[in-house]
Amino acid sequence: MTVKGGIKESQSEQVMRVEYGAAKPTITIRQYCTADAMSTWKLFYHTIHHVNSMDYSLKQVTAWAPDEFDLSVWQQKMDRIAPFIAEIQGVIVGYADLQEDGYIDHFFCHHEYQGMGVGKALMQHIFMQGQLAGIMRFYSDVSLTAKMFFHHFGFQVDKQQEVLIRGETLTNFKMVKLV
């Protein structure tokens, strides 16, 4: 994978740490910091190419997570959505965000840590943060791959969508959960 552009180094504070899971491994959830951009890009890229590739064609996966991407664009996106970061023993194993209106823009779990409770920990953290913020409606644009996971957490399909990404059409679902 080739990534163009550089990462700005920042000494952003970790806003909070919450740990989930009594059994090993312990999943720690913390706030994103600017230095996480490259790790989240790699996680995004490899998860799409290893996990989402089961539901999408090679052309679709390559359009969604291209081999060459300007990291400064990614850095700006991550800085804007400020995701929660899931770690196991200091390794970033997932990330997800929650916007003020209840929108979950990104929700990704490392391809080598699937089925280890990372997604569950992130979703529980999102619900907890949503409750604290008074969010009564959560919603997301969910891939074919993640549809059943979101359904398991009470999300319902509002509509199926066809989205155009770098010339390729991908199917996803607008999913909603009311609390």
Side-chain angles (χ1 to χ4, degrees):
M1 172 182 73
T2 304
V3 177
K4 296 179 180 176
I7 295 182
K8 300 182 297 185
E9 289 297 324
S10 170
Q11 293 189 357
S12 178
E13 288 184 35
Q14 293 181 0
V15 176
M16 87 182 91
R17 293 185 82 84
V18 179
E19 294 191 8
Y20 294 93
K24 300 276 183 195
T26 298
I27 299 166
T28 303
I29 308 292
R30 64 167 174 83
Q31 192 61 49
Y32 164 86
C33 65
T34 302
D36 294 328
M38 177 61 94
S39 295
T40 57
W41 167 256
K42 288 178 181 178
L43 190 152
F44 173 86
Y45 178 90
H46 289 294
T47 299
I48 290 169
H49 282 266
H50 289 94
V51 178
N52 297 92
S53 61
M54 293 183 241
D55 296 305
Y56 295 94
S57 72
L58 179 58
K59 286 176 118 178
Q60 291 171 317
V61 163
T62 302
W64 189 1
D67 290 335
E68 293 189 11
F69 191 79
D70 183 349
L71 190 59
S72 68
V73 172
W74 183 261
Q75 179 85 55
Q76 291 170 7
K77 172 75 171 185
M78 292 297 102
D79 289 352
R80 188 175 71 253
I81 68 171
F84 306 112
I85 303 293
E87 293 181 326
I88 294 176
Q89 297 179 342
V91 175
I92 296 177
V93 295
Y95 75 94
D97 70 293
L98 176 62
Q99 301 308 302
E100 291 178 4
D101 66 350
Y103 184 59
I104 301 167
D105 189 3
H106 278 224
F107 196 111
F108 289 91
C109 298
H110 194 292
H111 71 283
E112 293 178 346
Y113 291 83
Q114 299 284 310
M116 296 181 73
V118 174
K120 179 180 179 181
L122 282 166
M123 190 65 82
Q124 288 173 338
H125 190 74
I126 284 172
F127 291 157
M128 180 184 72
Q129 294 302 307
Q131 182 180 19
L132 292 171
I135 294 172
M136 302 302 292
R137 177 180 177 264
F138 296 90
Y139 67 105
S140 188
D141 297 307
V142 177
S143 70
L144 289 164
T145 312
K147 182 182 173 192
M148 291 308 297
F149 173 82
F150 274 76
H151 182 72
H152 174 77
F153 285 95
F155 285 78
Q156 300 299 316
V157 173
D158 183 45
K159 66 180 176 178
Q160 181 173 323
Q161 308 174 119
E162 303 298 320
V163 294
L164 188 64
I165 302 175
R166 296 180 188 86
E168 291 295 318
T169 302
L170 285 77
T171 299
N172 74 11
F173 302 89
K174 177 73 70 185
M175 295 188 75
V176 178
K177 176 181 173 137
L178 302 175
V179 293

